[in-house]
Amino acid sequence: MVAADGSDRSTRGVPAKPALDGIEARWSAVWQDEGTYAFDRTAERARVYSIDTPPPTVSGSLHVGHVFSYTHTDVIARFQRMRGREVFYPMGFDDNGLPTERRVQNYFGVRCDPSLPYDPEFTPPAKPGKDQLPISRRNFVELCERLTLEDEKGFEELWRRLGLSVDWSRTYATIDTRSRAVAQRAFLRNLAREEAYLAEAPTLWDVTFRTAVAQAELEDRERPGAYHTLAFARTTPPSGTATPAGGNGDSGGDAVIIETTRPELLAACVALVAHPDDPRYQPLFGSTVRTPLFEVEVPVVAHRLADPEKGSGIAMICTFGDLTDVIWWRELRLPTRAVVGRDGRLVPDAPQAITSSAGQAHYAELAGKTVHSARTRIVELLTESGALRGEPRPISHPVKFYEKGDRPLEIVTTRQWYIRNGGRDESLRAQLRGRGQELSWHPEYMRVRYENWVDGLNGDWLISRQRFFGVPFPVWYPLDEDGTPRYDAPIAADEAVLPIDPSSDVPPGYTEAQRGVPGGFAADPDVMDTWATSSLTPLIASGWGSDPDLFARVFPMDLRPQAHEIIRTWLFSTVVRAEAEFGVLPWSNAAISGWILDPDRKKMSKSKGNVVTPMATLQELGSDAVRYWAASGRPGTDTAYDVGQMKTGRRLAIKILNASRFALGLTTDPAEAAVTGADVAGAAVADAAADAATGGAATGGAATGGAAAAEVDATAPGTQEARLAAAVIEPLDRALLAALADVVDAATGALDGYDYARALELTESFFWRFCDDYVELVKGRAYGSFGAEGAASAQATLTVALSALLRLFAPVLPFVTEEVWSWWQTGSVHRAPWPDAAEIRKLADSGRPDLLDAVGTALAGVRKAKSTAKVSMKAEVAQATLAGDTDIIALVQSAAADLRSAGGIRELILAPTTGDLTVDVTLA
């Protein structure tokens, strides 16, 4: 028999002792062999559901936070596949950038020195030494590629163990040939449209990694500091003004007092600034003061960003202490006096503005020192000179860090590549904000994070990095007769030859002999920021530029799943690139996951050392158990790591095994019934199995989501639906199916809205009612206690309910549902159609869900009486009296036989009254 997924897998039969042990390995292998999740690239775009899967950073091992968020994506992928969509679900690996470089340095004990030549015979040390071994850039990149390849194998092993329904024939790495070509092509087009540009400007700089950092990669960390009170000597004040009153002058009225947390930047001071409306300093605007120690005359200026409440209300502008300095420098057109170098030390030569011998001598004592050491020394010098007033005042304040760095950022002037992102263009900002409005957010409240980021942009996107393992910029610069690069006339590579490496490839019209010589060329030395590549994942995965047929079938994509903290980086940057190249959103939906918290409710992260690696937990408790915990976390909500909830998930999986074995044991063998057609009940059960496997008709199946089944006349004699409808005749059975149809509707609606947690909650709640109440109530009847028709009705209902429940659970618990499905169905449950509430409702006919509620309440009352009396649940009840509203009592009457059988009740008295249902039990 051919299954819905095209395989000819046959049923396995119900095992005597079902167990969870080994099911992950067994079914992972079967899915791989049968191509269960392979993407059908002949599907039309309307049938395709494409996912821009997050490529995890390859820098060691995955942690449980990855398991959490990737499970959410997989639940949606499996649901959409069962709804009849052809799911494009690739997997990428983000293997370039600083995390990989740092891991390679630590793992092999090496560091990159671009000045060294390539050594084709190089072998890394067997054991890393105390000092890192310098090696050439090419050797370093080879080690990066070697280590990431090993990490990727480990990642794939874990993802398969978790049960991700990824098409493993469609993988990519953000540094592979395809990705480099896409990144370079997109950049060249940005450059041609003047969306990308090269500029020399103040740049946020990490002195450890010695690279530029973008605004999106910053984080504030609270650090101790101190305010230092410094006296600037006044020079000649403006004509007709008086020394300002107040406490900001020395005894002679010839000093201006400022407070600063960065006295080591005093040599870089270019002005003092106060708010234009501050009356204390209005008389000083237009005058000049002289810096302590260095004796440089600087102006006193006004600007709206000066805070009258901060410090003394007047501040020094240095080039550059923070981002506000940059704004003041740019808007007030101030000179540049840089003193901090790219290594985080004060540069050897004093700024040209320091001309006095005393000033130059003071600077010589600071030159070459780290920022910290320079601060210590200059405080000593200021104290000796009398320019430091009082003792430093300790404070705690937020300091800018690179998110992966360990030392505060500096701001140095460098030449970098930028892409326009609306930070300096209000029309583009509005355009990108509008795209955020078009995007469907799950949950909706995450949209505000995107909007706040767009509204708060203060500059364009810096995309170049001074690192080694990344996508190189595909440009060179001509050298003039002096050998100076012409940065204003870059030579762009031809798209036809991408990817290229300008450090080894030659620009058109040149030869290798002209590299680095006057009149020749020089390669751009930088690489692209990892986000500049990751922002193109929809284009990389969909074959942009290399596979136009695939691209047309999957782009724009349907879903971007990701965590909330990278909305400002990955999500926004992807919107920027898609808007520039295509003028569209790259996807229609964004599903946002929260963080994983440790038991102390702190975010899990490698830097904090509180992460949990998941493989041991997956092996101990089973993948379905871990997926259950993950899927219980609501979209966008931070969730605690909870082994107890995982154990609950494992108990649920075990219950599915046992309840399914029990329920199937009450029914006629579906396979045998399909062959013999021995009776109505058997045929009904066989037809239900065929429906689930084929989509309800010969032309149905996973591709149509069971649409063909809905077109069949359920009342036509001889049809599968008609025979099944004829079998389900008992009110309690119809009530169960009516309630099940409601659950299917609600769970489907929740998953359509990307609320996987709600769908799981609804399904699980119904499943326990099914096990605890319905199965117990109909057990006797299913065995034939009340005749063949009653047994056929129970058997058919059990089969329909079990089939639907397995499919409802399948997106969250793929292994146990596939295991049970294989006992009595052909093909994979994951290629079976999603349950159809309308079809189930037809079988329910006029069934009332409240009958199941009422009889369940009555049975619970009987059980409670037995439990209170501490007798067996099999103990007989001499008499049970049910009292309640007339309508409810009439409902219970229709299932009285089942209630008496399940409760062991000799005499059941139904007493119509008013109010809620009550149960009075007399034990035998």
Side-chain angles (χ1 to χ4, degrees), residues 548-559:
D549 178 76
L550 177 64
F551 185 71
R553 295 177 192 276
V554 303
F555 185 87
M557 292 181 148
D558 293 273
L559 176 64

Side-chain angles (χ1 to χ4, degrees), residues 200-277:
E200 186 171 19
T203 307
L204 288 161
W205 189 265
D206 187 286
V207 298
T208 301
F209 294 112
R210 300 197 185 184
T211 184
V213 174
Q215 182 183 353
E217 298 170 306
L218 304 182
E219 65 180 32
D220 285 336
R221 300 179 192 171
E222 198 69 19
R223 287 292 184 269
Y227 269 129
H228 301 78
T229 304
L230 308 184
F232 281 65
R234 291 186 55 189
T235 58
T236 305
S239 177
T241 64
T243 301
N248 194 24
D250 64 4
S251 59
D254 58 354
V256 177
I257 304 302
I258 67 103
E259 292 187 346
T260 180
T261 59
R262 301 209 61 181
E264 71 276 13
L265 297 183
L266 182 59
C269 179
V270 292
L272 298 187
V273 63
H275 195 279
D277 297 331

Side-chain angles (χ1 to χ4, degrees), residues 404-651:
K404 294 181 174 65
D406 301 318
R407 295 168 67 183
L409 292 172
E410 296 295 342
I411 298 177
V412 300
T413 299
T414 59
R415 183 175 287 103
Q416 305 288 344
W417 283 104
Y418 296 83
I419 286 181
R420 303 186 194 281
N421 66 353
R424 297 181 181 177
D425 182 338
E426 288 304 320
S427 63
L428 179 57
R429 188 197 302 268
Q431 199 172 335
L432 295 171
R433 199 178 197 279
R435 292 300 185 196
Q437 292 289 336
E438 294 176 30
L439 186 61
S440 294
W441 295 80
H442 311 284
E444 170 63 28
Y445 63 79
M446 285 293 173
R447 183 193 311 276
V448 72
R449 297 198 181 198
Y450 175 91
E451 293 175 345
N452 287 345
W453 176 252
V454 175
D455 292 344
L457 287 169
N458 57 27
D460 286 331
W461 177 19
L462 190 158
I463 63 166
S464 48
R465 294 293 181 272
Q466 290 64 53
R467 299 303 301 173
F468 316 111
F469 190 50
V471 178
F473 286 91
V475 295
W476 303 262
Y477 305 101
L479 302 179
D480 63 18
E481 61 276 9
D482 297 323
T484 302
R486 289 278 312 280
Y487 292 111
D488 60 338
I491 306 168
D494 187 337
E495 282 193 23
V497 299
L498 299 178
I500 64 102
D501 184 345
S503 68
S504 56
D505 294 315
V506 177
Y510 291 84
T511 66
E512 181 61 34
Q514 294 175 280
R515 185 184 297 274
V517 300
F521 69 92
D524 189 294
D526 295 341
V527 297
M528 296 183 194
D529 166 33
T530 186
W531 294 114
T533 307
S534 298
S535 63
L536 300 166
T537 52
L539 309 187
I540 295 169
S542 60
W544 178 59
S546 60
D547 192 341
D549 178 76
L550 177 64
F551 185 71
R553 295 177 192 276
V554 303
F555 185 87
M557 292 181 148
D558 293 273
L559 176 64
R560 157 60 71 82
Q562 64 165 75
H564 55 65
E565 77 271 19
I566 53 173
I567 288 174
R568 73 188 193 280
T569 49
W570 191 34
L571 190 146
F572 175 68
S573 63
T574 309
V575 172
V576 169
R577 304 304 288 274
E579 181 67 19
E581 189 63 37
F582 305 104
V584 298
L585 274 174
W587 356 258
S588 52
N589 295 277
I592 309 299
S593 295
W595 284 335
I596 291 304
L597 308 177
D598 67 12
D600 295 326
R601 307 297 295 181
K602 296 178 181 177
K603 178 196 172 187
M604 280 192 179
S605 68
K606 291 181 181 179
S607 62
K608 294 180 180 178
N610 62 347
V611 299
V612 175
T613 52
M615 185 59 84
T617 306
L618 291 168
Q619 293 170 340
E620 177 187 358
L621 298 177
S623 299
D624 283 342
V626 177
R627 289 174 64 103
Y628 170 87
W629 159 76
S632 299
R634 300 201 176 279
T637 303
D638 295 344
T639 302
Y641 178 72
D642 189 347
V643 174
Q645 193 169 30
M646 295 177 196
K647 291 179 178 179
T648 298
R650 182 173 177 83
R651 287 193 291 270

Side-chain angles (χ1 to χ4, degrees), residues 271-470:
L272 298 187
V273 63
H275 195 279
D277 297 331
D278 191 332
R280 294 174 296 174
Y281 302 108
Q282 285 175 335
L284 287 179
F285 297 147
S287 67
T288 60
V289 294
R290 186 173 291 109
T291 61
L293 299 180
F294 304 108
E295 302 177 354
V296 176
E297 190 171 329
V298 297
V300 181
V301 296
H303 195 280
R304 66 191 184 285
L305 291 182
D307 184 357
E309 304 300 321
K310 185 175 182 179
S312 62
I314 189 167
M316 66 175 183
I317 303 175
C318 299
T319 54
F320 299 93
D322 58 23
L323 292 173
T324 307
D325 277 343
V326 177
I327 297 172
W328 283 330
W329 166 81
R330 181 179 293 121
E331 295 187 2
L332 297 172
R333 300 180 182 276
L334 297 168
T336 301
R337 294 176 190 143
V339 297
V340 178
R342 296 187 180 194
D343 58 358
R345 295 177 179 272
L346 269 64
V347 297
D349 299 325
Q352 291 183 355
I354 302 177
T355 58
S356 71
S357 57
Q360 291 175 347
H362 285 134
Y363 186 84
E365 293 200 41
L366 306 176
K369 293 184 181 296
T370 64
V371 167
H372 178 76
S373 296
R375 182 181 306 148
T376 301
R377 181 54 183 148
I378 201 170
V379 168
E380 294 171 349
L381 293 172
L382 288 166
T383 301
E384 293 169 4
S385 70
L388 180 68
R389 302 298 176 89
E391 293 296 321
R393 179 162 53 89
I395 61 168
S396 178
H397 61 152
V399 177
K400 300 292 183 188
F401 279 76
Y402 172 44
E403 60 188 0
K404 294 181 174 65
D406 301 318
R407 295 168 67 183
L409 292 172
E410 296 295 342
I411 298 177
V412 300
T413 299
T414 59
R415 183 175 287 103
Q416 305 288 344
W417 283 104
Y418 296 83
I419 286 181
R420 303 186 194 281
N421 66 353
R424 297 181 181 177
D425 182 338
E426 288 304 320
S427 63
L428 179 57
R429 188 197 302 268
Q431 199 172 335
L432 295 171
R433 199 178 197 279
R435 292 300 185 196
Q437 292 289 336
E438 294 176 30
L439 186 61
S440 294
W441 295 80
H442 311 284
E444 170 63 28
Y445 63 79
M446 285 293 173
R447 183 193 311 276
V448 72
R449 297 198 181 198
Y450 175 91
E451 293 175 345
N452 287 345
W453 176 252
V454 175
D455 292 344
L457 287 169
N458 57 27
D460 286 331
W461 177 19
L462 190 158
I463 63 166
S464 48
R465 294 293 181 272
Q466 290 64 53
R467 299 303 301 173
F468 316 111
F469 190 50

Side-chain angles (χ1 to χ4, degrees), residues 737-738 741-743 745 836-846:
L737 294 179
D742 290 344
V743 170
D745 267 340
D836 188 330
E839 291 302 311
I840 297 172
R841 206 165 269 120
K842 287 180 183 178
L843 299 178
D845 194 18
S846 57

